[in-house]
Amino acid sequence: MAYKIAVLPGDGIGTEIIPEAVKILGVLGEVFNHDFVFAEALVGGAAIDETGVPLPEETLELCKISDAVLLGAVGGPKWDTLPVHLRPEGAALLGLRKGLGLYANLRPAILYPALTDASTLKRDVVEGVDIMVIRELTGGLYFGEKKRENIEGGQRAIDTMVYTTEEIVRIVRLGFETARKRGKRLCSVDKANILETSRLWRETVTELSKEYPDVELTHMYVDNAAMQLVRWPKQFDVMVTENMFGDILSDQASMLTGSIGMLPSASIGGKVAMYEPSHGSAPDIAGQNKANPIATILSAAMMLRYSFNLEKEAKLIEDAVVKVLDKGYRTGDIMESGKTLVGTTEMGALIGGELIQNVG
Ligand code: NAD
């Protein structure tokens, strides 16, 4: 069976980490006789430089006719001063999400035992953390009407936060379904003491919970959730929240695990899902073979699991990552004394080598 994968490396470390994930998929393809067909396209600043726009028509078209999308990261200082409609992060990422109908972002934050000491939190607080953060992706402040007005003494800027019952139901249902397959606990995060959108959110979640009596539901204000994530993260199983709260909390959850360089993500909802590391293009380390490719390699594992239903192959990648970490290999972001520092390509090769050994 052929699986068509659109590959969008993007900018900065995107062009270094994506090849490592593609190589891993190549190894699995050969071993298991899966025909992974890769087609690369431009996105982000790289696309602006070549075509003048951050999300060329051909790129979106390629994604739409593929079975899944593997994205690196977009953006960087070179394009930071462009007008909003040309900025890689806004136009390319939001354009892909909208164009592919991706309304849910799944970010697992799992602490690998070998990295317990890489976390900035105490061992007994983070040991065993395994949280799935589900973020709404196509509504809220990021997509509501924006405007600027000239007023006396300067300007007034307005962003609008909008949610409909339908948008809330589809993401929260995914939260309940995901919790049902895991630890059966769902924490819905909002700011219902202040925001009208949050009050609608909470009413809708409460109503929907009647269909899921087997899932224990809690509601939490976002400020408390931020605090609880560092106080006692093990209380969480699945968290579901709106777009901006999810953006912030999922980055915060990522640091429980030691580095954002470890965290994969899946954006789902439409026919074609998109997989990408949770981090950005890291211009500070780009082009130096320093980036941790594990988040991207684990994103490829999520692709095998969620888009292609290849659970065994996904697990093999995850196990290979654990083995390499257990053997003490580390990229700079997760480096500790007594461990072996490796670069991006070495880390990719080590995981690929482990994979081959495990299959053999
Ligand atoms: P970032 O995630 O790129 O980097 C934050 C810090 O984490 C940096 O110190 C970086 O070196 C480090 N880091 C990130 N990924 C790493 C990895 N794989 N290995 C080792 N270290 C890693 O966030 P930022 O600095 O706020 O943003 C940089 C650029 O990326 C900006 O242009 C931003 O808009 C863009 N961005 C893109 C995405 C995306 O494409 N999805 C997401 C976030 C930020």
Side-chain angles (χ1 to χ4, degrees):
M1 171 147 182
Y3 301 98
K4 279 190 281 177
I5 303 172
V7 178
L8 318 181
D11 308 313
I13 60 169
T15 57
E16 298 170 74
I17 52 183
I18 284 288
E20 298 312 315
V22 168
K23 278 186 233 163
I24 298 286
L25 288 172
V27 169
L28 275 178
E30 264 181 39
V31 172
F32 288 98
N33 228 356
H34 297 312
D35 192 6
F36 293 126
V37 183
F38 302 101
E40 200 169 306
L42 290 167
V43 74
I48 294 175
D49 291 350
E50 281 282 318
T51 68
V53 291
L55 182 60
E57 274 292 308
E58 310 86 83
T59 300
L60 188 56
E61 270 317 300
L62 173 74
C63 295
K64 284 182 178 168
I65 59 159
S66 298
D67 296 313
V69 180
L70 185 63
L71 173 73
V74 296
K78 184 174 173 193
W79 307 281
D80 272 354
T81 49
L82 289 172
V84 174
H85 70 283
L86 281 179
R87 292 280 284 277
E89 301 85 332
L93 290 180
L94 301 192
L96 278 166
R97 284 171 196 163
K98 203 112 210 156
L100 296 174
L102 308 173
Y103 64 81
N105 183 238
L106 273 62
R107 283 201 196 181
I110 299 169
L111 181 72
Y112 291 92
L115 293 186
T116 308
D117 294 323
S119 174
T120 48
L121 297 189
K122 288 188 193 130
R123 176 176 275 269
D124 68 314
V125 174
V126 287
E127 214 164 28
V129 158
D130 181 353
I131 306 172
M132 178 68 87
V133 182
I134 301 181
R135 165 188 171 195
E136 202 288 327
L137 218 48
T138 52
L141 272 175
Y142 294 14
F143 286 93
E145 193 193 342
K146 300 172 189 308
K147 60 180 172 186
R148 290 261 194 129
E149 292 165 358
N150 290 323
I151 57 167
E152 212 182 301
Q155 293 190 327
R156 179 177 20 218
I158 301 166
D159 292 295
T160 324
M161 189 155 180
V162 185
Y163 269 106
T164 64
T165 307
E166 195 190 340
E167 283 171 327
I168 300 169
V169 166
R170 66 181 182 182
I171 186 82
V172 175
R173 189 176 288 291
L174 181 69
F176 277 112
E177 294 288 341
T178 308
R180 196 169 246 179
K181 291 187 202 129
R182 293 176 37 113
K184 296 192 167 41
R185 284 177 296 123
L186 179 67
C187 178
S188 168
V189 177
D190 62 38
K191 189 70 184 166
N193 49 345
I194 305 284
L195 299 174
E196 204 49 46
T197 43
S198 279
R199 281 191 271 276
L200 177 63
W201 181 281
R202 195 175 278 221
E203 286 162 25
T204 309
V205 175
T206 306
E207 187 58 34
L208 197 61
S209 70
K210 293 177 188 155
E211 293 179 34
Y212 297 90
D214 52 323
V215 176
E216 182 193 316
L217 170 69
T218 48
H219 298 280
M220 200 177 272
Y221 294 140
V222 62
D223 41 347
N224 186 26
M227 187 180 79
Q228 296 298 334
L229 262 177
V230 284
R231 192 187 73 84
W232 194 243
K234 281 183 264 192
Q235 68 187 281
F236 296 112
D237 174 23
V238 179
M239 301 175 89
V240 65
T241 190
E242 66 88 44
N243 204 344
M244 184 178 66
F245 299 162
D247 193 0
I248 298 166
L249 291 181
S250 55
D251 264 27
Q252 191 187 346
S254 76
M255 276 319 292
L256 302 171
T257 70
S259 167
I260 198 160
M262 292 295 300
L263 284 188
S265 85
S267 299
I268 62 174
K271 209 164 71 53
V272 183
M274 186 163 83
Y275 300 85
E276 56 179 314
S278 301
H279 56 74
S281 57
D284 54 334
I285 54 165
Q288 302 169 45
N289 195 33
K290 283 185 179 166
N292 185 347
I294 294 180
T296 315
I297 290 170
L298 292 174
S299 301
M302 287 184 91
M303 173 190 290
L304 298 182
R305 175 171 294 125
Y306 292 112
S307 281
F308 305 154
N309 222 0
L310 297 174
E311 176 61 32
K312 184 174 69 181
E313 289 82 340
K315 189 80 178 43
L316 273 167
I317 295 182
E318 291 160 355
D319 289 348
V321 168
V322 171
K323 287 239 169 72
V324 169
L325 294 173
D326 283 347
K327 287 183 178 172
Y329 294 105
R330 302 282 189 274
T331 42
D333 55 315
I334 49 174
M335 184 59 188
E336 296 164 65
S337 69
K339 306 296 179 195
T340 311
L341 181 67
V342 295
T344 312
T345 48
E346 292 82 3
M347 183 55 96
L350 283 161
I351 295 168
E354 200 61 56
L355 198 58
I356 291 170
Q357 268 190 14
N358 292 352
V359 173

